Amino acid sequence: MQRETISNMKREEDNMQKVKTLYEINGAVDRIIFRNEQNGYSVIELSVENELVTAVGMMPYISVGENVKLLGNFKSHPTFGEQFTVEACERSMPTTTAAILKYLSSGAIKGIGPSTACKLVERFGEKTLEVIEKNSEELTQIRGITKEKARKISEEFTKLFSIRELMIYLGKYGITPEEAIKIYKIYGQDAVKSINENPYLLCEEPLEISFERADKLAYSLEQPQENVCRIRAGIVYILAHNMNNGHTCLPKDKLLEAAANFLSIDLELAENTLKEVLDDGTLQQDIINEKEFIFTNKMHQIEVYSAGRLLMMLKFPPQKIFGADKYIEAIEKKHKITYAKLQKKAITMALEDGILILTGGPGTGKTTTLNAIIDILEKNGEKVCLAAPTGRAAQRMAAVTGREAKTIHRLLEVQWDTDDKPTFKRNEKNLLECDAIILDELSMVDAALFEGVLRALPLGCRLILVGDSDQLPSVGAGNVLSDLIKSETIPMVELKEIFRQSLESLIVTNAHKIVNGELPELSVRDNDFFFMNVNDPQTIIDTIRDLCTKRLPGTYGYSPLFDIQVIAPGKKGPLGTININKVLQEAINSPSNSKKEININGTIFREGDKVMQIRNNYNIIFAREDGSSGEGVFNGDIGILLTIDKEDSSLVVQFDDKYAKYDLENASDLDLAYAITVHKSQGSEFEAVVMPVYFGAPQLYYRNLLYTAVTRAKSMIVMVGTAWTVKKMVENNKKTRRYSGLCNFLVKGCEN
């Protein structure tokens, strides 16, 4: 192929951007510029009729000297110029002695370097690769190659091509090269046979490929839908899927009904298969309130362990600290305050019982009580650790206590296993170094994270759990705070008295009215709680934009980026976060020649945008202003997008004092954050909150959601919408039902 021909192809590509046309080029791999060993993404130089062409794409385990046929298109890179973007790759082994020598000299096969490659090609010529594969004992004719080394060289060659064949085979069914490598590590050369016999092996740990994809593969292999392997995998999938909805278990009858409907099978067949799954220990069954519930092994172990550990802590408490009255009196005198009766009770119980749940709504003095507890513990020489589930919650905890507070993940020193899953360095074999630990915002802590904390507690450590059970539950599976309270096994104090200074705040008084099922005061205009009656979605949008860009900044000096937060019930619709974010982005951070932009999964991100991390990512590296560094950005962290580097395909986001660098793959974890959902606001506090209240999907408009939104406001909340919607939300006392076992295991443990 001549340069002129390639140039013509490039021009043709430019003229046919709207038509998906794939071009074919053939050549020999001349050089590997870059290769990601994990997923197979490669950048190579291909010799095409005496011309070098740069090709980029998924070409796993490709090596110098190989002959390849590539399908794709020419595209222009801003830095590297014209490149051939690969859609498909077919390989064939080198056949000439020169090509074989180049291939083996590249290090493609472990155990063969340039010197050995020369000797092999000199001895065996064009049959070198055939000898390596089929007659490895002949390799011992080469000086320095023992029988053992010859065997290892042959095994490495076979392994290499087995992985390639597996990738090609599974790639037809949407299995990525990275996933194919994992599959090979588990099943070896029998991978294709194993997957053909039971495609649903892909769903099992550590692969955890989705049931839908495995089912698609099974369908293409013409496996019947009544296949027992399919039913087993489907039952496990339904259970795991419901964990994403917050459940740690499901009633047996509901699970069977869901399985029969989802898999389109008879209920009897689902029931028989479930019995098999329970009999062989794949899933666990337990009785809760005289009803059968089904758990995954992992979740059953989590809740059983947590219950057992708490009961053991109750049985073997830390040494009591006596004289609470004297300590309380001294603090009252020093700070010129008077604790309420329930506050004094909480302080005393924390010192004497060892485990305490401290709960209560806004303005009831939880912080004041906590500070007293910490003060007394420290005076008695105890080391106190403070932690919260999110970065923002930890920051708030540090601000109100005047002491360091960490995220729970940071406290437990999160790290990653071989499957890149988070584990905690702090555990029963490496305990936390503290005498007491205080966990704030416990309503946000899921079952797995709570178990992680309990495993890391040293014997005799005090545990003080702080939260508001009227807040929304955790995003992850479990209902920890509610279960602990409901069990009535853990000492608890609920603060109820609203202090005088808090009574002056309508945010506080209205929050308590809402949680008690009363309509909040909407007519007062001279406090911190404002309601703007607007009965039209577009006018609500216009009002919110005006509040965020003009009224609140102009009247109160609030920063649209750092002080004001729009909180909406849901994501979709004209008053959902997706649309509001577009409107506010345009108003607050409008396009400019000085600001770079990037499109990530259909969302435009611009330098200067307010963004949020929407899931835990433990692999993102960040640097702090003090020169320290670390890993991990967590769900709910809010920051500012500082820079976009298109050449490097990277972003830098500032989260408070952390500067996190994202590649394009990790950047899909970001979302615009001018507006966030109520669920995403948990654990955070904002100077000013603006909230649309206009009726939408009933499942998003209920009392606890409204209460959670109101309590996110530190100094001011402005609701924009209809009083009718507020009334309906207050009246709707629907609480998200969660199936969990912790309460049951605690009660059973006490009875035994």
Side-chain angles (χ1 to χ4, degrees), residues 243-262:
M243 285 170 57
N244 295 328
N245 295 328
H247 306 292
T248 65
C249 56
L250 285 179
K252 181 180 177 180
D253 56 345
K254 290 186 179 294
L255 175 59
L256 289 172
E257 184 182 349
N261 290 333
F262 178 70

Side-chain angles (χ1 to χ4, degrees), residues 570-625:
K571 296 174 69 174
K572 300 178 181 178
L575 297 175
T577 58
I578 296 172
N579 186 52
I580 296 175
N581 269 318
K582 289 179 182 177
V583 171
L584 292 182
Q585 182 190 44
E586 186 71 22
I588 296 171
N589 190 34
S590 55
S592 165
N593 292 332
S594 63
K595 301 174 187 174
K596 294 177 183 174
E597 296 181 357
I598 192 167
N599 188 318
I600 301 174
N601 298 331
T603 299
I604 300 295
F605 289 88
R606 186 175 299 130
E607 290 177 340
D609 273 336
K610 185 177 183 179
V611 295
M612 170 180 273
Q613 178 74 15
I614 60 173
R615 62 180 59 87
N616 292 338
N617 190 323
Y618 305 94
N619 297 316
I620 295 175
I621 297 172
F622 62 80
R624 290 192 178 90
E625 293 176 341

Side-chain angles (χ1 to χ4, degrees), residues 472 540-541 544 565-581 584 673-682 686 689-694 700-701 705-706 708-710 712 717-718 720 729:
L472 296 175
I540 292 173
I541 286 284
I544 289 173
Q565 184 61 61
V566 177
I567 297 178
K571 296 174 69 174
K572 300 178 181 178
L575 297 175
T577 58
I578 296 172
N579 186 52
I580 296 175
N581 269 318
L584 292 182
Y674 300 99
I676 62 177
T677 63
V678 178
H679 284 84
K680 288 294 185 184
S681 75
Q682 286 179 269
F686 310 96
V689 168
V690 178
M691 183 184 184
V693 282
Y694 191 82
L700 293 176
Y701 287 78
L705 186 134
L706 181 64
T708 300
V710 170
R712 298 309 90 199
I717 183 168
V718 184
V720 186
M729 292 182 77

Side-chain angles (χ1 to χ4, degrees), residues 1-11 48-52:
M1 187 183 291
Q2 301 299 313
R3 183 176 296 277
E4 183 180 357
T5 306
I6 292 178
S7 297
N8 288 337
M9 288 171 60
K10 293 173 185 175
R11 282 196 295 272
V48 183
E49 297 187 8
N50 299 317
E51 181 180 354
L52 289 179

Side-chain angles (χ1 to χ4, degrees), residues 545-565:
R545 179 176 55 209
D546 192 47
L547 284 165
C548 294
T549 59
K550 296 177 182 178
R551 296 195 199 182
L552 296 181
T555 306
Y556 301 96
Y558 290 140
S559 164
L561 286 176
F562 300 104
D563 298 325
I564 303 170
Q565 184 61 61

Side-chain angles (χ1 to χ4, degrees), residues 226-239:
E226 292 84 9
N227 185 327
V228 172
C229 294
R230 178 175 184 264
I231 301 170
R232 290 173 65 97
I235 289 171
V236 174
Y237 165 76
I238 292 168
L239 204 55

